[in-house]
Amino acid sequence: KITRILDNSFSLYLLNKSTMSYGIKSIRYENTARHILLQNENGPCPLLAVANVLLLQGTISLPVSAVRTGVATTDDVCNTLAIVAMDGNPNGNTSSNYHIDELMKFFPTLQYGMDVNPRFVCGPTGMEYTIGVNAFDLMKVGLLHGWLVDESDVTTRNVIGMKTYNELTQIIIAGNEAKDKMDILSQKIKKVEYQICLESASGDEDKKIDSELESKGSPRELSIIQNKSKPTECDDISEELQILETNLLKTRQELAEESETFTEYIIVNNFLLSSSHQLTLCGLHALHSHLGEGKMSVFFRNNHFATMTKKHGVLYLLVTDLGYKNVPEVVWEKLDDISGNTDFVDQDFVKTKPLVDAGTLSGRLLEHVQRGGVEEDYQLALALSQNENVTEKQERELIAAAKLASLRDRESAENGTIADLKKSPLSSNDTAQSISHASDRAVALRLQAEYEIDASLDNARRQRNQLQGNRATLAKGNSANNNGCLIS
């Protein structure tokens, strides 16, 4: 249900209180303390990305209550963006009011995603203008992509031209259909050509007989030739031959048209397959040229929306994964490779060092973890966390034990990978770069594991609380029954 709040002759549309929420992380940006929103189950959505741009710029701020609790609801975010929209129309223009009113309805849907229909030869801002793009304009936030065709690829650029992604998908569909039609038309052409050969052979045989009779010159034979000048079966053959030749010409033209469609399909399909990650080298260069130093924008790629900035000539994307909420070493990731290889940096844009800290555990739990059996340790920690007699201190120790147990094998595998790289015959530069990537991957896997384990243990605690509640309800019910009361 949507609640309407009237303000200065136009409406704000707010979601009800059952809407989703976002975690909040505190960072420093441009020497100023800022808050950013983290992903929920909807992932890196456009609402999150545009809000983070405005938060980092200092254009908006989150409610004090949200900052205090560490959670911002969709209502909080939409209300804050609505204020920006109202400020964009200070004179209260009627047509603008209607326009903004419609956008207020649209804002909450941004938490689920947004249709972006890019163009491939118009630079990072090239895309079909929709209500979603209009919403970004209203917030004065740029929406960019790097899915561009290389200028040196003249053939592909000529075929794609100003077409959008949706129009390219139509070429793909038409190309698949053209391939089937081409097979049918090719068979038809062969059949007609064969019929023409037969008709031509029949007509040549009649002409040969007439020629022989005429050369002999006898009266009877000349009479036969003269009679053949009247409409006969030979004339029918000639007429049928003309019809066949006309059909052959028409079919060949149809085949040429379908062949042209299929050729476009091949070119477009090759481009889409070779750039399936939706970022090309020329697109990356275009992003560098377009975005100024210290400027911010929203970057679209593979239906994900990320907050992007440029620092010291390098492009960075804001890391909003919930698993990094309490990891100050991971705030940004570089955007300098189209294949997805990246480096994490902190709030000062300094590269993250791969550190592993198991924390402190009580002696008994530490000995148990060190004995091995990752799965057994983790299951034991879960089972104990469901025990109603476990104290808060013991529970914290169990969480730490479970984390260490689950991470040990992952880190061991990553360390083995790094050791293998050091022994590899690659050049020192290649080896160093590979080791750096492996180390970054180790950090990412560790943090992801911590997040997954935290979620599992939280679920375990909820199940324990629910079980305790059920027991209490059952005990109360038994007591009531003993007193002669009916429990419905």
Side-chain angles (χ1 to χ4, degrees):
K1 184 180 178 180
I2 293 177
T3 304
R4 172 175 290 188
I5 297 179
L6 299 180
D7 187 0
N8 295 333
S9 78
F10 62 92
S11 307
L12 302 180
Y13 289 82
L14 310 177
L15 293 181
N16 62 25
K17 297 303 178 183
S18 65
T19 55
M20 297 181 181
S21 59
Y22 304 92
I24 298 175
K25 180 176 181 177
S26 298
I27 66 169
R28 188 176 65 254
Y29 179 72
E30 298 291 345
N31 297 319
T32 305
R34 300 294 189 195
H35 297 104
I36 61 171
L37 301 174
L38 302 177
Q39 298 175 26
N40 56 25
E41 52 263 48
N42 287 326
C45 65
L47 184 66
L48 182 78
V50 70
N52 279 333
V53 168
L54 297 175
L55 285 168
L56 290 173
Q57 290 176 338
T59 306
I60 63 173
S61 58
L62 296 172
V64 175
S65 58
V67 175
R68 184 173 59 251
T69 59
V71 175
T73 66
T74 305
D75 291 349
D76 294 330
V77 179
C78 288
N79 289 346
T80 306
L81 295 180
I83 294 173
V84 178
M86 288 187 291
D87 290 343
N89 184 35
N91 297 324
N93 182 273
T94 304
S95 60
S96 297
N97 285 346
Y98 173 79
H99 187 59
I100 294 174
D101 192 52
E102 291 299 309
L103 287 173
M104 290 305 102
K105 298 177 184 178
F106 179 75
F107 273 141
T109 68
L110 292 177
Q111 65 180 310
Y112 305 110
M114 187 181 88
D115 290 333
V116 177
N117 194 16
R119 303 184 191 274
F120 305 91
V121 298
C122 301
T125 60
M127 59 191 71
E128 181 184 4
Y129 199 79
T130 62
I131 187 173
V133 177
N134 191 15
F136 273 77
D137 287 347
L138 187 64
M139 296 293 101
K140 296 181 174 60
V141 175
L143 178 60
L144 308 178
H145 73 92
W147 200 1
L148 303 176
V149 181
D150 197 317
E151 292 183 359
S152 63
D153 191 351
V154 179
T155 300
T156 302
R157 288 181 69 87
N158 288 340
V159 171
I160 292 180
M162 293 293 293
K163 297 182 181 68
T164 64
Y165 174 78
N166 289 344
E167 289 173 317
L168 293 192
T169 59
Q170 294 300 316
I171 291 180
I172 297 296
I173 295 173
N176 287 323
E177 295 175 350
K179 183 178 180 181
D180 296 333
K181 291 180 181 179
M182 286 172 62
D183 293 337
I184 296 174
L185 291 173
S186 296
Q187 294 297 325
K188 183 177 179 180
I189 287 174
K190 290 180 180 179
K191 182 178 180 180
V192 174
E193 287 178 339
Y194 179 71
Q195 291 175 335
I196 289 176
C197 288
L198 291 180
E199 294 293 344
S200 298
S202 176
D204 291 343
E205 183 65 24
D206 289 341
K207 289 180 180 179
K208 181 178 179 182
I209 295 174
D210 290 345
S211 178
E212 291 177 352
L213 291 174
E214 186 175 0
S215 63
K216 293 179 180 179
S218 63
R220 181 175 178 278
E221 292 165 346
L222 289 173
S223 175
I224 293 174
I225 295 174
Q226 291 174 355
N227 290 333
K228 287 177 70 65
S229 62
K230 299 178 181 179
T232 61
E233 184 178 350
C234 184
D235 294 327
D236 293 339
I237 292 175
S238 178
E239 184 177 348
E240 181 66 23
L241 187 61
Q242 290 180 357
I243 294 174
L244 289 173
E245 289 176 343
T246 301
N247 290 338
L248 178 61
L249 180 62
K250 181 180 178 180
T251 305
R252 283 175 173 170
Q253 289 176 343
E254 292 177 2
L255 180 61
E257 293 174 357
E258 297 299 336
S259 179
E260 183 177 353
T261 300
F262 186 68
T263 300
E264 289 186 351
Y265 156 80
I266 292 176
I267 294 173
V268 170
N269 192 53
N270 287 340
F271 169 72
L272 294 178
L273 289 177
S274 63
S275 61
S276 57
H277 36 66
Q278 298 186 6
L279 177 63
T280 60
L281 280 175
C282 68
L284 186 58
H285 294 155
L287 288 170
H288 270 280
S289 300
H290 180 86
L291 194 64
E293 180 71 16
K295 300 298 182 180
M296 306 198 75
S297 184
V298 171
F299 175 60
F300 169 78
R301 180 185 185 186
N302 286 328
N303 291 326
H304 290 174
F305 298 80
T307 302
M308 181 170 63
T309 190
K310 187 176 183 180
K311 190 72 172 180
H312 306 308
V314 180
L315 296 176
Y316 292 94
L317 301 179
L318 186 65
V319 178
T320 57
D321 300 76
L322 187 59
Y324 295 112
K325 178 177 181 178
N326 299 316
V327 184
E329 297 84 5
V330 178
V331 177
W332 301 91
E333 61 175 326
K334 285 184 178 180
L335 180 62
D336 59 356
D337 189 289
I338 65 173
S339 63
N341 294 326
T342 186
D343 292 324
F344 292 109
V345 298
D346 61 18
Q347 59 189 0
D348 298 317
F349 298 93
V350 177
K351 185 177 178 181
T352 302
K353 296 180 180 179
L355 299 175
V356 177
D357 182 11
T360 58
L361 302 174
S362 65
R364 183 174 62 83
L365 288 173
L366 182 59
E367 289 175 2
H368 178 74
V369 170
Q370 290 174 341
R371 283 199 299 269
V374 172
E375 181 62 22
E376 291 78 8
D377 290 334
Y378 179 59
Q379 292 301 328
L380 175 61
L382 280 178
L384 291 176
S385 70
Q386 293 175 341
N387 192 319
E388 59 186 1
N389 295 321
V390 175
T391 65
E392 184 178 349
K393 179 180 178 181
Q394 289 173 326
E395 190 174 32
R396 288 198 301 268
E397 292 176 341
L398 289 168
I399 291 174
K403 286 184 179 181
L404 181 60
S406 180
L407 292 172
R408 185 174 54 243
D409 279 0
R410 299 191 189 205
E411 291 167 356
S412 176
E414 291 299 328
N415 290 336
T417 301
I418 295 174
D420 292 339
L421 288 171
K422 290 180 178 179
K423 298 176 182 178
S424 68
L426 296 173
S427 66
S428 59
N429 290 336
D430 292 338
T431 302
Q433 185 177 7
S434 299
I435 291 174
S436 176
H437 288 163
S439 299
D440 290 341
R441 175 176 165 79
V443 173
L445 287 175
R446 171 179 174 270
L447 295 171
Q448 180 63 26
E450 288 183 352
Y451 171 63
E452 293 171 354
I453 294 168
D454 285 340
S456 298
L457 290 171
D458 286 342
N459 184 56
R461 285 193 292 268
R462 284 194 297 270
Q463 291 177 357
R464 180 194 64 189
N465 295 334
Q466 183 178 2
L467 179 60
Q468 292 175 350
N470 292 340
R471 287 175 179 172
T473 301
L474 181 60
K476 183 178 180 181
N478 291 334
S479 176
N481 283 328
N482 293 333
N483 295 327
C485 296
L486 179 62
I487 306 298
S488 59

